[in-house]
Amino acid sequence: TAIKNQCTKIQHSFHHHHQGWVNLFLNHPFTTTAATLSSITTQRHLSTSSINNHLINYNDEITSAKSNTVKYIKKLKDKKKSRAESKQTIIEGIRLVTDVLLYQPTLVSHVLCTNEILSGGGGGNNEEVKYLIQLLQEQQENVDRISLISDDVIKACADTVTPQGVVAVVDIPPIYSPSSLTATATTGSTAPNPLYLVLDGLSDPGNVGTLLRSSLAVSVTAVLLVHNSCDVWNPKAIRSAMGATFRIPIRRFDTFDNLIDFLNVDCGVNTKERFYAATMDVAEEEGPETEKVSASSSPAYYEVGWAYNNDNNANLGGSNPAVLCLGKEGEGLHPEIREALSKGNIKSVHVPMEPGSMESLNAAVCGSVVLFEYLRQKRVYGTYNDDL
């Protein structure tokens, strides 16, 4: 009995100082094997990360901002080439990481959290942190790696001035293809009267992110980029899009001709009749080797049948795809697109404003106005799909 009592005291002392190690050992299903005993030393357990009496396992601890992992994340953060070659990018912040874990958990490769986050605290709303922890618990089998990181590491990895304590490395989804929609997409070419949004050289990540959010909100079929538009996988653009980047199909084109061929052949768009380039006023399209676009050839956005055919009849059950093209901030449409307008190969559209009020609209505002007219028409003319 004396020996038993002494052993109990030793066990309690060990348990008090090494709670995480004991729990990991006792809860492991194969603690009796030598291989398992060896593997335990490569894992750690954070005993304070308890939500609803469940513990979060993390694979390793990163304390140096000069580690190879941090160097890799910084390349993804700063270099478009690195993101393209690795087909990965980074996301940060409690809400954004939560959204991707919720809607596209298979894309998440590596989650890095500070002790404050894993212990249920964090720099944001405590309920949001708890939900993030809950999703991490549920998705531990999908996430390849979870790391506990120091404050110095989160500052090195994050793109914001005041990081919230969580960063994740995520896979970039496959490019859009009408014949094979990505598993992460919530919209698709099977929708009645699909609409494609073309971004023609837009360079501001904030504008691009806003347009991606609006596109997701109205179930745009895909966002297509041309003429060196901003990299949508840039961390700033991703934050502006608030997770929409991973939920809507995206594809980039090297040339305008390749884009037109893709729309005509692969997407079934009659680009001569259904490709609309947004202009601010009639005079905007006047320039070298182009002809002035007449007022009659540039209808107001609400005069275009985005969700019905050109005879103003509801296109119930059919498919009449259309394209909205937005030009670069400040410069407007690319010369190639201006030339296509002057030759009548595509059409123009504009957002009317009070005379003398403003010279132009922000690209994201202009695009969003037209996109929500598309949604309005879908609902009015019965081509809205409640399942999308």
Side-chain angles (χ1 to χ4, degrees):
T1 301
I3 294 174
K4 182 178 180 180
N5 291 338
Q6 185 64 26
C7 289
T8 300
K9 290 180 180 180
I10 295 172
Q11 182 184 25
H12 286 171
S13 176
F14 184 82
H15 188 275
H16 175 74
H17 293 290
H18 304 279
Q19 179 70 48
W21 291 94
V22 171
N23 285 346
L24 178 62
F25 182 83
L26 294 178
N27 292 326
H28 203 287
F30 304 109
T31 53
T32 57
T33 67
T36 301
L37 290 172
S38 174
S39 69
I40 288 175
T41 61
T42 66
Q43 295 184 314
R44 294 174 176 85
H45 210 282
L46 192 60
S47 61
T48 56
S49 301
S50 177
I51 303 295
N52 297 327
N53 296 321
H54 294 296
L55 298 175
I56 294 293
N57 289 316
Y58 60 89
N59 304 97
D60 57 357
E61 186 172 350
I62 304 174
T63 58
S64 172
K66 297 181 180 180
S67 69
N68 290 333
T69 298
V70 175
K71 290 178 181 178
Y72 175 69
I73 290 176
K74 291 176 73 173
K75 285 184 179 180
L76 294 181
K77 178 178 66 174
D78 300 329
K79 297 182 179 180
K80 178 181 177 181
K81 182 179 180 181
S82 295
R83 294 191 291 269
E85 290 177 347
S86 64
K87 295 182 180 180
Q88 288 189 320
T89 187
I90 67 164
I91 58 176
E92 66 170 286
I94 297 168
R95 180 169 296 182
L96 187 52
V97 174
T98 296
D99 283 349
V100 178
L101 281 170
L102 180 63
Y103 293 107
Q104 302 89 20
T106 57
L107 295 179
V108 181
S109 174
H110 186 188
V111 179
L112 302 91
C113 303
T114 61
N115 180 65
E116 190 175 9
I117 290 290
L118 286 181
S119 62
N125 185 294
N126 192 54
E127 292 301 317
E128 291 181 348
V129 177
K130 288 182 179 181
Y131 189 44
L132 171 62
I133 295 297
Q134 177 185 328
L135 289 174
L136 278 173
Q137 292 170 340
E138 296 172 355
Q139 300 297 339
Q140 274 188 296
E141 292 185 359
N142 290 322
V143 179
D144 295 334
R145 181 181 174 193
I146 299 176
S147 296
L148 172 65
I149 58 176
S150 65
D151 291 339
D152 288 340
V153 170
I154 190 67
K155 290 177 183 178
C157 293
D159 191 51
T160 55
V161 178
T162 54
Q164 294 184 339
V166 57
V167 172
V169 177
V170 295
D171 297 333
I172 293 175
I175 62 172
Y176 168 68
S177 173
S179 59
S180 178
L181 291 176
T182 63
T184 58
T186 59
T187 63
S189 59
T190 56
N193 298 296
L195 177 65
Y196 297 88
L197 176 64
V198 172
L199 303 185
D200 169 34
L202 266 71
S203 58
D204 183 75
N207 282 337
V208 171
T210 299
L211 286 166
L212 288 171
R213 291 175 70 180
S214 295
S215 297
L216 180 63
V218 305
S219 291
V220 161
T221 299
V223 175
L224 311 176
L225 303 105
V226 70
H227 295 141
N228 295 316
S229 287
C230 167
D231 179 18
V232 296
W233 306 112
N234 176 308
K236 184 176 180 180
I238 291 175
R239 289 198 306 276
S240 297
M242 291 295 291
T245 320
F246 299 94
R247 299 175 60 191
I248 190 164
I250 297 171
R251 184 164 181 152
R252 182 178 293 273
F253 294 85
D254 294 330
T255 67
F256 180 63
D257 287 341
N258 288 342
L259 168 65
I260 291 295
D261 288 343
F262 177 79
L263 288 168
N264 283 321
V265 177
D266 295 79
C267 304
V269 179
N270 180 355
T271 53
K272 189 168 185 177
E273 296 294 331
R274 300 287 286 167
F275 188 113
Y276 293 91
T279 62
M280 292 314 303
D281 59 28
V282 174
E284 184 187 49
E285 297 311 318
E286 187 176 18
E289 300 180 1
T290 66
E291 296 178 2
K292 191 172 184 178
V293 178
S294 66
S296 61
S297 66
S298 182
Y301 72 96
Y302 49 78
E303 296 174 329
V304 174
W306 303 103
Y308 54 83
N309 63 28
N310 291 337
D311 295 325
N312 293 333
N313 296 318
N315 190 26
L316 300 177
S319 180
N320 194 22
V323 177
L324 170 64
C325 177
L326 301 173
K328 186 175 183 178
E329 306 92 337
E331 300 179 17
L333 299 169
H334 190 275
E336 277 188 293
I337 298 181
R338 293 175 183 267
E339 182 179 2
L341 272 172
S342 69
K343 292 180 178 180
N345 293 331
I346 60 176
K347 294 185 175 183
S348 65
V349 67
H350 70 281
V351 176
M353 297 185 293
E354 287 291 339
S357 59
M358 292 294 296
E359 181 181 344
S360 64
L361 289 177
N362 171 275
V365 172
C366 175
S368 296
V369 167
V370 181
L371 291 176
F372 278 93
E373 170 63 13
Y374 165 64
L375 177 61
R376 186 195 70 81
Q377 290 184 14
K378 285 198 296 182
R379 294 192 170 188
V380 169
Y381 291 98
T383 57
Y384 178 75
N385 189 341
D386 291 319
D387 295 331
L388 293 178

